[in-house]
Amino acid sequence: MKSSTQASKLLHGAFILSAAAIISKLLGTLQKIPLQNLGGDAVFGIYNTVYPLYTLLITVAMLGLPAAVSKFVAEAGVGERKDAGRQILLRSAVLTGLSGVIMGAFTYAGAPYIASWVGNSHIIPALRSASWGLLFIPVMSALRGYFQGLHNMLPTAVSQIVEQTVRVAVMITLLLYLSSGNAGAETIAAGAMIGSVGGGAAGLFIMLLYWQRHRNRSLNKSADKTPGGITTSRLLSYGVPVMLGTLAIPLIGLVDVFTLPRLLSAGGDEADAMVQFGIYNRGLPLVQIVTMLATTLSVVFIPALAEANYRGDTELVETRSRLSLQWFWLLGLAASVGLAVLAEPINVALYGNAAGTSTMTWIAFTAAGGTVSIISAAVLQGLGQVRAPALHLLAAALLKAALNLLLVPQLGITGAAIAGVAAHLFAAALNVLLLRRKAHLRLRPADVLAKPALLVAGLGLAAAAASWGAGAALAAAGLAGGRAASLAQSLLGVTAGCAVFAVGAVALRLLSEDELRGLPGIGPSLAKLMKKLRLFP
């Protein structure tokens, strides 16, 4: 009975955390559109240069301790050693707090040196603004790890949503104020980065409120005085490898930060390089929505594969691995083709003009490789292969750097987009090749290439035809050319593409009812729904 209750609590907590992650990531991704609209491409370029660096510094400052806190607090909870959990949190909060102060001071004082490594001095004010966030977020993350170790996901979920909401509100408020005062791009970008500081402070405040309430309740109960037994060195020995593994995830994006501004300013000035870098980043929020969905859904496959692998059910491991790869490949490819075909109306609708449409077309195809890379990494982790996906991302980042150096001088930001497509596909290919050995994967060319090619060709034609038809009708009515008209073209194109995708997937028998039921998570529910709609024979 107790184990059943515990399992129910874990599932409930996972749902809360997943929902909060989706909301906060959507807010974080979509806020880039008003950022570009209000600040312009130069501000957008500076922000998208600094924010990945800020994320990198935050990751280093946390030292992987949130994961360590969660693990050791959970173990202390099993032994009913409540004081041990609080001691673990105290040590971790002190460590992350000191680390954040040191990293913040290093970033503020060393901003000119970091800017010289990037190759653009215009990012200095924004870097110094971002440095203040290091005072809040590492400690906030340690507190989140503590409550997650207690299987209480609500504090983390609430603080995530509050953090992102405050971040976006502060950013837009400062954007409006600074833009109205005709401030320069450097100052406006620095103001936008203050949003991250405000969000971090708000998130920490929420976590401290939860901690105070939790502490007051604990003091009313008999406290166990058993020593914690978790030393600082043990926390670090667990956390630092986690931190190093986490650093592999944003590597491909960081390659652009450290190569693209320098390459773009080689034949011109730094200000123009930031404008070009901003235009380059226009397509990334849309791709990030697709990969965010893949990341959220991928966590379902890790325990499902781990369970099947533990039981030695090689057939189930192969089936789940194959189906997950096929469908994430298909969804990523469909998103890529749809975004590529509708790149121009989407660009105008979201950003006000068609600058960089060809680059956005290429960037759209990173969704295909990115989704397969994410789901294949999750499947490998479920099979116990934790380090391999990180090493594959490192290899892909090296390829991205080499291709940037080769292509950007000739093709500009379009060359960087092509390099990104190649890097993500390379990481995906390495993961899939390893899965062929570890999961005895059997991929049929018809399911991986022929049928998907036919389906996305129909999707692309339908989206293009609907968009063109809407544009022609609006032009005849004298309404063409504006953002509203482009938005209408985009929405009609997306609707037509989705309709063809749904009908084509059923017509081509890309997934049987039994296969759909075998997918972990929502597979059985989807199969039941499709059966009711008579989409299965």
Side-chain angles (χ1 to χ4, degrees):
M1 183 68 178
K2 184 177 179 181
S3 62
S4 176
T5 303
Q6 184 74 359
S8 177
K9 185 178 179 182
L10 286 172
L11 286 173
H12 180 67
F15 173 79
I16 291 174
L17 204 55
S18 297
I22 292 172
I23 294 170
S24 61
K25 286 178 181 178
L26 272 176
L27 286 171
T29 299
L30 295 177
Q31 57 94 24
K32 292 184 178 180
I33 295 170
L35 171 62
Q36 187 276 342
N37 286 192
L38 294 170
D41 287 316
V43 171
F44 199 48
I46 295 171
Y47 182 90
N48 281 292
T49 303
V50 172
Y51 194 78
L53 293 172
Y54 171 70
T55 304
L56 173 69
L57 293 166
I58 289 291
T59 302
V60 174
M62 289 191 299
L63 300 170
L65 290 179
V69 172
S70 180
K71 169 184 166 61
F72 292 125
V73 167
E75 291 176 354
V78 171
E80 297 184 353
R81 294 178 290 124
K82 308 301 181 185
D83 275 10
R86 288 190 285 273
Q87 291 171 21
I88 292 166
L89 173 61
L90 178 61
R91 288 194 181 100
S92 299
V94 170
L95 284 171
T96 54
L98 287 173
S99 177
V101 169
I102 293 170
M103 292 295 293
F106 163 79
T107 303
Y108 190 93
Y113 299 100
I114 298 173
S116 69
W117 300 338
V118 172
N120 198 292
S121 61
H122 291 268
I123 69 171
I124 294 173
L127 270 172
R128 284 180 166 160
S129 291
S131 67
W132 294 99
L134 289 153
L135 302 179
F136 307 110
I137 293 180
V139 177
M140 175 188 69
S141 299
L143 283 162
R144 286 176 177 175
Y146 175 79
F147 283 101
Q148 288 170 25
L150 298 176
H151 306 305
N152 183 1
M153 308 302 176
L154 187 61
T156 297
V158 173
S159 70
Q160 280 182 339
I161 294 173
V162 170
E163 178 191 357
Q164 286 288 22
T165 302
V166 172
R167 175 187 165 203
V168 173
V170 171
M171 184 197 75
I172 292 178
T173 300
L174 288 174
L175 279 172
L176 289 169
Y177 173 75
L178 294 171
S179 299
S180 65
N182 296 318
E186 296 179 20
T187 303
I188 296 174
M193 286 305 305
I194 290 291
S196 297
V197 181
L204 176 58
F205 178 73
I206 294 297
M207 291 307 304
L208 288 173
L209 288 179
Y210 273 105
W211 162 249
Q212 184 65 33
R213 186 168 67 176
H214 169 76
R215 182 173 176 272
N216 290 340
R217 287 178 178 174
S218 299
L219 289 175
N220 293 330
K221 300 177 181 179
S222 57
D224 174 41
K225 300 299 182 183
T226 306
I230 305 298
T231 62
T232 298
S233 61
R234 189 177 175 194
L235 281 169
L236 291 173
S237 66
Y238 183 88
V240 171
V242 172
M243 179 265 288
L244 294 174
T246 305
L247 288 176
I249 297 172
L251 274 179
I252 295 177
L254 284 169
V255 168
D256 281 332
V257 170
F258 284 102
T259 61
L260 208 45
R262 187 182 298 277
L263 291 169
L264 291 172
S265 61
D269 59 31
E270 292 184 346
D272 182 64
M274 284 293 98
V275 172
Q276 289 298 307
F277 194 56
I279 294 172
Y280 170 76
N281 277 277
R282 287 185 177 192
L284 293 179
L286 300 173
V287 172
Q288 286 167 357
I289 291 175
V290 179
T291 54
M292 177 203 71
L293 178 63
T295 302
T296 303
L297 292 176
S298 69
V299 298
V300 176
F301 290 87
I302 297 176
L305 266 296
E307 179 187 353
N309 190 48
Y310 179 78
R311 294 203 310 260
D313 192 339
T314 55
E315 184 176 351
L316 184 59
V317 167
E318 193 279 334
T319 299
R320 286 182 170 174
S321 300
R322 174 170 48 82
L323 291 177
S324 61
L325 285 176
Q326 285 179 196
W327 270 88
F328 274 78
W329 162 245
L330 188 60
L331 292 172
L333 193 60
S336 293
V337 171
L339 290 173
V341 166
L342 300 172
E344 183 170 348
I346 288 175
N347 199 7
V348 175
L350 296 182
Y351 302 110
N353 58 53
T357 293
S358 60
T359 300
M360 184 182 285
T361 301
W362 277 105
I363 284 177
F365 285 97
T366 59
T371 51
V372 175
S373 176
I374 289 167
I375 189 60
S376 57
V379 172
L380 284 169
Q381 289 165 16
L383 297 178
Q385 301 294 315
V386 179
R387 298 171 62 183
L391 294 175
H392 294 166
L393 281 174
L394 176 60
L398 293 174
L399 175 64
K400 170 69 165 145
L403 290 176
N404 271 7
L405 294 173
L406 179 67
L407 297 177
V408 172
Q410 283 74 38
L411 302 174
I413 56 176
T414 299
I418 295 171
V421 175
H424 284 286
L425 286 173
F426 183 58
L430 291 176
N431 286 348
V432 171
L433 287 173
L434 182 58
L435 273 174
R436 288 190 65 185
R437 291 193 293 110
K438 298 298 180 180
H440 307 288
L441 203 59
R442 300 184 299 272
L443 296 173
R444 295 175 294 183
D447 293 331
V448 177
L449 298 174
K451 289 182 179 180
L454 184 61
L455 181 58
V456 297
L459 179 154
L461 287 172
S467 177
W468 179 86
L474 289 167
L479 300 174
R483 297 181 72 170
S486 296
L487 179 61
Q489 288 182 256
S490 302
L491 292 175
L492 285 171
V494 169
T495 302
C498 289
V500 169
F501 179 85
V503 173
V506 174
L508 292 171
R509 297 287 189 268
L510 287 171
L511 192 68
S512 69
E513 183 180 357
D514 289 339
E515 288 175 332
L516 185 56
R517 290 186 184 279
L519 288 175
I522 61 173
S525 299
L526 284 177
K528 186 177 180 180
L529 175 62
M530 294 181 73
K531 186 74 172 180
K532 285 184 177 179
L533 295 174
R534 298 183 180 180
L535 295 176
F536 285 131

